[in-house]
Coordinates of all heavy atoms in Angstrom, one line a residue:
M30 N 217.0 178.6 -1.9 CA 215.7 178.5 -1.4 C 215.8 178.2 0.1 O 216.6 177.4 0.5 CB 215.0 177.3 -2.1 CG 213.6 177.1 -1.7 SD 212.8 175.8 -2.6 CE 211.3 176.7 -3.0
T31 N 215.0 178.9 0.8 CA 215.0 178.7 2.3 C 214.1 177.5 2.7 O 213.2 177.1 2.0 CB 214.5 180.0 3.0 OG1 213.1 180.2 2.6 CG2 215.3 181.2 2.7
S32 N 214.5 177.0 3.9 CA 213.8 175.8 4.4 C 212.5 176.3 5.1 O 212.5 177.3 5.8 CB 214.7 175.1 5.4 OG 213.9 174.1 6.0
L33 N 211.5 175.5 5.0 CA 210.2 175.8 5.7 C 210.2 175.1 7.1 O 209.2 175.3 7.9 CB 209.0 175.3 4.9 CG 208.8 176.0 3.5 CD1 207.7 175.3 2.8 CD2 208.6 177.4 3.7
D34 N 211.2 174.4 7.4 CA 211.2 173.7 8.7 C 211.6 174.7 9.8 O 212.7 175.3 9.8 CB 212.2 172.6 8.7 CG 212.3 171.8 10.0 OD1 211.3 171.9 10.8 OD2 213.3 171.1 10.2
R35 N 210.7 174.9 10.8 CA 211.0 175.9 11.9 C 211.4 175.2 13.2 O 211.3 175.9 14.2 CB 209.7 176.7 12.1 CG 209.4 177.6 10.9 CD 208.2 178.5 11.2 NE 208.0 179.4 10.1 CZ 207.4 180.5 10.2 NH1 206.8 180.9 11.4 NH2 207.2 181.3 9.2
T36 N 211.7 174.0 13.1 CA 212.1 173.3 14.3 C 213.5 173.7 14.7 O 214.4 173.7 13.9 CB 212.1 171.7 14.1 OG1 210.8 171.3 13.6 CG2 212.4 171.0 15.3
P37 N 213.6 174.2 16.0 CA 215.0 174.6 16.4 C 215.9 173.4 16.4 O 215.6 172.3 16.6 CB 214.7 175.1 17.8 CG 213.3 175.3 18.0 CD 212.6 174.4 17.0
A38 N 217.2 173.8 16.2 CA 218.2 172.7 16.2 C 218.4 172.2 17.6 O 218.3 173.0 18.6 CB 219.5 173.3 15.7
G39 N 218.7 170.9 17.8 CA 218.9 170.3 19.1 C 217.7 170.0 19.8 O 217.7 169.9 21.0
T40 N 216.6 169.7 19.1 CA 215.3 169.3 19.8 C 215.1 167.8 19.7 O 213.9 167.4 19.8 CB 214.1 170.1 19.3 OG1 214.0 169.8 17.9 CG2 214.3 171.6 19.5
E41 N 216.1 167.0 19.6 CA 215.9 165.6 19.5 C 215.3 165.1 20.8 O 215.7 165.5 21.9 CB 217.2 164.8 19.2 CG 217.8 165.2 17.9 CD 218.7 166.4 18.0 OE1 219.1 166.8 19.1 OE2 219.0 167.0 17.0
I42 N 214.3 164.2 20.7 CA 213.7 163.6 21.9 C 214.5 162.3 22.3 O 214.6 161.4 21.5 CB 212.2 163.3 21.7 CG1 211.5 164.5 21.4 CG2 211.7 162.6 22.9 CD1 210.0 164.3 21.0
N43 N 215.0 162.2 23.5 CA 215.8 161.1 23.9 C 214.9 160.0 24.4 O 213.7 160.2 24.6 CB 216.9 161.4 24.8 CG 216.4 162.0 26.1 OD1 215.2 161.9 26.5 ND2 217.2 162.7 26.8
A44 N 215.4 158.8 24.7 CA 214.7 157.7 25.1 C 214.0 157.9 26.5 O 212.9 157.5 26.7 CB 215.5 156.4 25.2
R45 N 214.7 158.6 27.4 CA 214.2 158.9 28.7 C 212.9 159.8 28.6 O 211.9 159.5 29.3 CB 215.2 159.5 29.6 CG 214.7 159.8 31.0 CD 215.8 160.2 31.9 NE 216.6 159.1 32.2 CZ 217.8 159.1 32.8 NH1 218.3 160.3 33.1 NH2 218.5 158.0 33.1
A46 N 212.9 160.8 27.8 CA 211.8 161.6 27.6 C 210.6 160.8 27.0 O 209.4 161.1 27.4 CB 212.1 162.8 26.7
R47 N 210.8 159.9 26.1 CA 209.8 159.1 25.6 C 209.2 158.2 26.7 O 208.0 158.0 26.7 CB 210.3 158.2 24.5 CG 210.5 159.0 23.2 CD 210.8 158.1 22.0 NE 211.4 158.9 21.0 CZ 212.5 158.6 20.4 NH1 213.2 157.5 20.7 NH2 213.0 159.3 19.4
L48 N 210.0 157.7 27.6 CA 209.6 156.8 28.6 C 208.7 157.6 29.6 O 207.6 157.1 30.0 CB 210.8 156.2 29.4 CG 210.4 155.4 30.7 CD1 209.6 154.2 30.3 CD2 211.6 155.1 31.4
Y49 N 209.1 158.8 29.9 CA 208.3 159.7 30.8 C 207.0 160.0 30.2 O 206.0 160.2 30.9 CB 209.1 160.9 31.2 CG 210.2 160.7 32.1 CD1 211.4 161.4 32.0 CD2 210.2 159.7 33.1 CE1 212.5 161.2 32.9 CE2 211.2 159.5 34.0 CZ 212.4 160.3 33.9 OH 213.4 160.0 34.7
A50 N 206.9 160.1 28.9 CA 205.6 160.4 28.2 C 204.7 159.2 28.3 O 203.5 159.4 28.4 CB 205.9 160.8 26.8
W51 N 205.2 158.0 28.3 CA 204.4 156.8 28.3 C 204.1 156.3 29.7 O 203.2 155.4 29.9 CB 205.0 155.7 27.5 CG 204.8 155.9 26.0 CD1 205.7 156.4 25.1 CD2 203.6 155.6 25.3 NE1 205.1 156.4 23.9 CE2 203.8 155.9 23.9 CE3 202.4 155.0 25.6 CZ2 202.8 155.7 23.0 CZ3 201.4 154.8 24.7 CH2 201.7 155.2 23.3
L52 N 204.8 156.8 30.7 CA 204.6 156.3 32.0 C 203.2 156.4 32.6 O 202.7 155.4 33.1 CB 205.6 157.0 33.0 CG 205.8 156.4 34.3 CD1 206.3 154.9 34.2 CD2 206.8 157.2 35.1
P53 N 202.5 157.5 32.4 CA 201.1 157.6 32.9 C 200.2 156.6 32.2 O 199.3 156.1 32.8 CB 200.7 159.0 32.6 CG 202.0 159.8 32.5 CD 203.0 158.8 32.0
V54 N 200.4 156.4 30.9 CA 199.6 155.5 30.2 C 199.8 154.1 30.7 O 198.8 153.3 30.9 CB 199.9 155.6 28.7 CG1 199.1 154.5 27.9 CG2 199.6 156.9 28.1
I55 N 201.0 153.7 30.9 CA 201.3 152.3 31.4 C 200.8 152.1 32.8 O 200.2 151.1 33.1 CB 202.9 152.1 31.3 CG1 203.3 152.1 29.9 CG2 203.2 150.8 32.0 CD1 204.8 152.1 29.7
T56 N 200.9 153.2 33.6 CA 200.4 153.1 35.0 C 198.9 152.9 35.0 O 198.3 152.1 35.7 CB 200.8 154.3 35.8 OG1 202.2 154.5 35.8 CG2 200.3 154.3 37.2
T57 N 198.2 153.6 34.1 CA 196.7 153.6 34.0 C 196.3 152.2 33.5 O 195.4 151.6 34.1 CB 196.2 154.6 33.1 OG1 196.6 155.9 33.6 CG2 194.7 154.6 33.0
L58 N 196.9 151.7 32.5 CA 196.6 150.3 32.0 C 196.8 149.2 33.0 O 196.0 148.3 33.2 CB 197.3 150.1 30.7 CG 196.9 150.9 29.5 CD1 197.8 150.6 28.3 CD2 195.5 150.6 29.2
A59 N 197.9 149.3 33.7 CA 198.2 148.3 34.8 C 197.2 148.4 35.9 O 196.8 147.4 36.4 CB 199.7 148.6 35.3
T60 N 196.8 149.6 36.3 CA 195.8 149.8 37.3 C 194.5 149.2 36.9 O 193.8 148.5 37.7 CB 195.6 151.3 37.7 OG1 196.9 151.8 38.2 CG2 194.6 151.4 38.8
L61 N 194.1 149.5 35.7 CA 192.8 148.9 35.2 C 192.8 147.4 35.1 O 191.8 146.8 35.5 CB 192.5 149.5 33.8 CG 192.1 151.0 33.8 CD1 192.0 151.5 32.3 CD2 190.8 151.2 34.5
A62 N 193.9 146.8 34.7 CA 194.0 145.4 34.6 C 194.0 144.8 36.0 O 193.3 143.7 36.2 CB 195.3 145.0 33.9
T63 N 194.6 145.4 36.9 CA 194.6 144.8 38.3 C 193.3 144.9 38.9 O 192.8 144.0 39.5 CB 195.7 145.6 39.2 OG1 196.9 145.5 38.5 CG2 195.7 145.1 40.6
V64 N 192.6 146.1 38.8 CA 191.3 146.3 39.3 C 190.3 145.3 38.7 O 189.5 144.7 39.4 CB 190.8 147.7 39.2 CG1 189.3 147.9 39.5 CG2 191.6 148.6 40.0
L65 N 190.4 145.1 37.4 CA 189.5 144.2 36.7 C 189.7 142.7 37.2 O 188.7 142.0 37.4 CB 189.7 144.3 35.2 CG 188.8 143.4 34.3 CD1 187.3 143.8 34.5 CD2 189.1 143.5 32.9
A66 N 190.9 142.3 37.3 CA 191.2 141.0 37.7 C 190.7 140.8 39.2 O 190.2 139.7 39.5 CB 192.7 140.7 37.6
L67 N 191.0 141.7 40.0 CA 190.5 141.6 41.4 C 189.0 141.6 41.5 O 188.4 140.8 42.3 CB 191.1 142.7 42.3 CG 192.6 142.6 42.6 CD1 193.1 143.9 43.2 CD2 192.9 141.4 43.5
A68 N 188.3 142.4 40.7 CA 186.9 142.5 40.8 C 186.3 141.2 40.2 O 185.3 140.7 40.8 CB 186.4 143.7 39.9
L69 N 186.8 140.6 39.2 CA 186.3 139.4 38.6 C 186.5 138.2 39.5 O 185.8 137.2 39.4 CB 186.9 139.1 37.2 CG 186.4 140.1 36.2 CD1 187.1 139.8 34.8 CD2 184.9 140.0 36.0
T70 N 187.5 138.2 40.4 CA 187.8 137.1 41.3 C 187.0 137.3 42.6 O 187.2 136.5 43.5 CB 189.3 137.0 41.6 OG1 189.8 138.2 42.1 CG2 190.0 136.6 40.3
G71 N 186.3 138.4 42.8 CA 185.5 138.6 44.0 C 186.1 139.3 45.1 O 185.7 139.3 46.2
N72 N 187.2 140.0 44.8 CA 187.9 140.7 45.8 C 187.6 142.2 45.7 O 188.4 143.0 45.3 CB 189.4 140.6 45.7 CG 189.9 139.1 46.0 OD1 189.3 138.5 46.9 ND2 190.8 138.6 45.3
G73 N 186.4 142.6 46.0 CA 185.9 143.9 45.9 C 186.7 145.0 46.6 O 187.1 146.0 46.1
P74 N 186.9 144.7 47.9 CA 187.7 145.7 48.7 C 189.1 145.9 48.2 O 189.7 147.0 48.2 CB 187.7 145.2 50.1 CG 186.5 144.3 50.2 CD 186.3 143.7 48.8
A75 N 189.7 144.8 47.8 CA 191.1 144.9 47.2 C 191.1 145.6 45.9 O 192.0 146.4 45.6 CB 191.7 143.5 47.0
A76 N 190.0 145.4 45.1 CA 189.9 146.1 43.8 C 189.8 147.6 44.1 O 190.4 148.5 43.4 CB 188.8 145.6 43.0
M77 N 189.0 148.0 45.1 CA 188.8 149.4 45.4 C 190.1 150.0 45.9 O 190.5 151.1 45.4 CB 187.8 149.5 46.5 CG 187.5 151.0 46.9 SD 186.4 151.8 45.8 CE 184.9 151.0 46.3
A78 N 190.9 149.3 46.7 CA 192.1 149.8 47.2 C 193.1 150.0 46.0 O 193.9 151.0 46.0 CB 192.7 148.9 48.3
A79 N 193.2 149.0 45.1 CA 194.1 149.1 44.0 C 193.7 150.3 43.1 O 194.6 151.0 42.6 CB 194.1 147.8 43.2
G80 N 192.5 150.5 42.9 CA 192.0 151.6 42.1 C 192.4 153.0 42.7 O 192.8 153.9 42.0
V81 N 192.3 153.1 44.0 CA 192.6 154.3 44.7 C 194.1 154.6 44.6 O 194.6 155.7 44.3 CB 192.1 154.3 46.2 CG1 192.7 155.5 46.9 CG2 190.6 154.4 46.2
L82 N 194.9 153.5 44.9 CA 196.4 153.7 44.8 C 196.8 153.9 43.4 O 197.8 154.8 43.2 CB 197.0 152.4 45.4 CG 196.9 152.2 46.9 CD1 197.5 150.9 47.3 CD2 197.5 153.3 47.7
G83 N 196.2 153.3 42.4 CA 196.6 153.5 41.0 C 196.3 154.9 40.6 O 197.1 155.5 39.8
S84 N 195.1 155.4 41.0 CA 194.8 156.7 40.5 C 195.7 157.8 41.2 O 196.0 158.8 40.6 CB 193.3 157.0 40.8 OG 193.1 157.0 42.2
A85 N 196.1 157.5 42.4 CA 197.0 158.5 43.1 C 198.4 158.4 42.4 O 199.0 159.5 42.3 CB 197.1 158.1 44.5
A86 N 198.8 157.3 42.0 CA 200.2 157.1 41.4 C 200.2 157.6 40.0 O 201.2 158.1 39.5 CB 200.6 155.7 41.5
G87 N 199.0 157.5 39.3 CA 199.0 157.9 37.9 C 198.5 159.3 37.6 O 198.1 159.6 36.5
G88 N 198.5 160.1 38.6 CA 198.0 161.5 38.4 C 198.9 162.2 37.4 O 200.1 162.1 37.5
V89 N 198.3 163.0 36.5 CA 199.0 163.7 35.5 C 198.7 165.1 35.6 O 197.6 165.6 35.7 CB 198.5 163.1 34.1 CG1 199.3 163.9 33.0 CG2 198.8 161.6 34.0
Q90 N 199.8 165.9 35.4 CA 199.7 167.4 35.4 C 200.1 167.8 34.0 O 201.2 167.5 33.5 CB 200.5 168.0 36.4 CG 200.5 169.6 36.3 CD 201.4 170.2 37.3 OE1 202.0 169.5 38.1 NE2 201.4 171.5 37.3
I91 N 199.2 168.5 33.3 CA 199.5 169.0 31.9 C 199.7 170.5 31.9 O 198.8 171.2 32.4 CB 198.4 168.5 30.9 CG1 198.4 167.0 30.9 CG2 198.7 169.1 29.6 CD1 197.2 166.5 30.1
T92 N 200.7 171.0 31.4 CA 201.0 172.4 31.3 C 201.0 172.8 29.9 O 201.8 172.2 29.1 CB 202.3 172.8 32.0 OG1 202.2 172.4 33.4 CG2 202.5 174.3 32.0
V93 N 200.2 173.8 29.5 CA 200.2 174.3 28.1 C 200.8 175.7 28.1 O 200.3 176.6 28.8 CB 198.8 174.2 27.5 CG1 198.8 174.8 26.1 CG2 198.2 172.8 27.6
N94 N 201.8 175.9 27.3 CA 202.4 177.2 27.1 C 202.1 177.7 25.7 O 202.5 177.0 24.7 CB 203.9 177.2 27.3 CG 204.3 176.8 28.7 OD1 203.6 177.2 29.6 ND2 205.3 176.0 28.8
I95 N 201.3 178.8 25.6 CA 200.9 179.3 24.3 C 201.8 180.5 24.0 O 201.8 181.4 24.7 CB 199.4 179.7 24.3 CG1 198.6 178.4 24.6 CG2 199.0 180.3 22.9 CD1 197.1 178.7 24.8
R96 N 202.5 180.4 22.8 CA 203.3 181.5 22.4 C 202.7 182.1 21.1 O 202.3 181.4 20.2 CB 204.7 181.0 22.1 CG 205.5 180.7 23.3 CD 206.9 180.4 22.9 NE 207.1 179.0 22.9 CZ 208.1 178.4 22.3 NH1 209.1 179.1 21.8 NH2 208.3 177.1 22.3
R97 N 202.6 183.4 21.1 CA 202.1 184.1 19.9 C 203.1 185.0 19.3 O 203.9 185.5 19.9 CB 200.8 184.9 20.3 CG 199.7 184.0 20.7 CD 198.5 184.8 20.9 NE 197.4 183.9 21.3 CZ 196.2 184.1 21.2 NH1 195.8 185.3 20.7 NH2 195.3 183.3 21.6

């Protein structure tokens, strides 16, 4: 009986690839927490600056390759 698994051999995801996948999420959460803390303590301009820097650092580019 043939296998139904079509995953090519050698496609194991290593730890570094997993880290790169989570890096934008961690950056976004850290930025939101920093902006919230600064805004609640009354540092509006600092919160604005942290938000701008965090959004620039957390920019994500997604590429979709469709094969038919």
Side-chain angles (χ1 to χ4, degrees):
M30 179 176 229
T31 60
S32 173
L33 297 177
D34 184 18
R35 294 183 174 200
T36 305
T40 59
E41 299 86 16
I42 298 175
N43 61 20
R45 182 172 284 168
R47 286 189 197 129
L48 175 65
Y49 288 144
W51 280 99
L52 193 59
V54 175
I55 294 169
T56 303
T57 302
L58 290 176
T60 300
L61 288 173
T63 304
V64 168
L65 183 63
L67 288 170
L69 291 176
T70 58
N72 294 322
M77 181 80 73
V81 169
L82 291 175
S84 65
V89 178
Q90 178 182 357
I91 299 173
T92 303
V93 178
N94 296 320
I95 300 174
R96 289 189 260 166
R97 293 187 181 198

